[in-house]
């Protein structure tokens, strides 16, 4: 089975919020995102990795339009005590870059090549979230253009042609 | 704009590996996933959240077929010193459940409802990764069927009809 690489998407319109030190027990994610929904804030990526065994705490990060950052942090601060998280981080100088394609699950070389392209451009990868059709990373906003160029080069993609690249 | 909820996918065939205490600097993700690619291991989800400011370390988790777990941990152990991560966690009793749809980004109520369904079933959410068309969580394998049932109920989905539910 071949992987298809359709192209590279990038976005500099988003900010990131990290809810730090979230108790890892049922109901907490629900409370956080109900608060966000009640404030009518649109969410793009949500990322949560496993909690630390020692603390029973984890972090939940999500991205959203920059203009909605203040509303989101205000809404979350109001429920901090009730939910029990330690702190909030707000970051509005991120860029998001994604490799868009299909069948990428059975081609581990695709993610290796994607991450190598970022390394080649000396771009630090701050967050990763992937699916079979989309590999997305968060980087510094200032690194976004270099990241996009490097990924285009690594996969032989060219802005001017709209054909997908077959990999594998 | 309305969100479309197409259905719920679930998967109990995967295991999870967490590379713990990964230095947060360019090139590290590339090295980890080149190791995995060289071992010809298929990867599904990759999740990385932001590093701790105090330590400069983060974790990278990924899921893969259970049968490939040993090969993956062996391959990573061989490069532990070179890459510099602290430890590896291997977990083969996970379940993955996903809400599949479209336009979910502009409907924060969708993720709130999804997470609330899991909370309602007393299912702990161990990892989260989302896109506009798919919200995926990792839970205990033993909780998978309860999670799926609860999500069906929360969204008014019915296994017997194949129509998508419109939300919003
Ligand atoms: C951390 C958060 O996801 C929690 N485990 C929950 O289920 O809500
Ligand atoms: C942690 C890892 O993603 C690292 N920041 C890298 O860029 O490779």
């Amino acid at each position: 089975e071949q992987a298809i690489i359709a192209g590279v998407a990038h976005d500099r319109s988003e900010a990131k919020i990290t809810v730090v030190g979230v108790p890892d027990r049922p109901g907490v994610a629900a409370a956080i995102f109900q608060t966000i929904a009640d404030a009518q804030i649109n969410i793009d990526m949500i990322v949560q990795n496993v909690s630390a065994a020692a603390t029973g705490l984890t972090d939940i990060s999500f991205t959203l339009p920059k203009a909605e950052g203040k509303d989101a942090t205000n809404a979350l601060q109001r429920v901090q005590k009730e939910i029990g998280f330690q702190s909030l981080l707000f970051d509005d100088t991120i860029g998001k870059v994604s490799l868009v394609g299909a069948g990428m699950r059975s081609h581990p070389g695709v993610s290796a090549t994607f991450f190598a392209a970022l390394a080649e451009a000396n771009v630090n990868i701050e967050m990763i979230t992937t699916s079979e059709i989309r590999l997305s990373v968060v980087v510094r906003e200032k690194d976004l253009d270099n990241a996009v160029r490097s990924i285009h080069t690594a996969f032989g993609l060219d802005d001017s042609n709209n054909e997908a690249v077959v990999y594998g």
Side-chain angles (χ1 to χ4, degrees), chain A:
Chain A
E1 187 200 344
Q2 287 170 328
I4 306 282
I5 309 301
V8 183
H10 63 282
D11 190 342
R12 46 173 40 96
S13 72
E14 297 190 337
K16 154 167 60 82
I17 289 173
T18 301
V19 188
V20 181
V22 175
D24 188 14
R25 58 169 187 263
V28 178
I32 289 170
F33 290 97
Q34 191 57 54
T35 300
I36 294 297
D38 291 345
Q40 303 193 331
I41 290 164
N42 295 329
I43 300 268
D44 180 20
M45 294 161 68
I46 302 173
V47 173
Q48 174 191 314
N49 208 340
V50 296
S51 58
T55 61
L57 300 174
T58 186
D59 303 332
I60 299 180
S61 294
F62 59 91
T63 64
L64 74 170
K66 288 189 196 197
E68 299 185 28
K70 200 87 203 88
D71 287 348
T73 51
N74 286 342
L76 288 170
Q77 273 157 2
R78 281 195 292 271
V79 294
Q80 179 166 3
K81 214 156 179 295
E82 169 192 342
I83 292 176
F85 60 84
Q86 288 180 336
S87 60
L88 284 176
L89 299 174
F90 178 68
D91 182 351
D92 63 0
T93 52
I94 64 164
K96 180 186 168 192
V97 55
S98 304
L99 190 72
V100 183
M104 299 197 284
R105 175 172 173 167
S106 45
H107 281 275
V110 172
S111 50
T113 301
F114 182 70
F115 297 135
L118 292 158
E120 172 71 15
N122 203 29
V123 174
N124 194 45
I125 299 164
E126 302 182 357
M127 281 166 63
I128 303 171
T129 167
T130 71
S131 70
E132 205 170 342
I133 63 168
R134 197 172 184 104
L135 308 185
S136 293
V137 296
V138 167
V139 300
R140 278 303 90 196
E141 189 174 357
K142 65 172 173 59
D143 288 338
L144 194 56
D145 295 334
N146 285 340
V148 171
R149 259 191 295 275
S150 189
I151 296 161
H152 274 127
T153 301
F155 286 100
L157 291 163
D158 189 324
D159 294 276
S160 62
N161 75 29
N162 287 320
E163 287 172 23
V165 168
V166 175
Y167 189 105

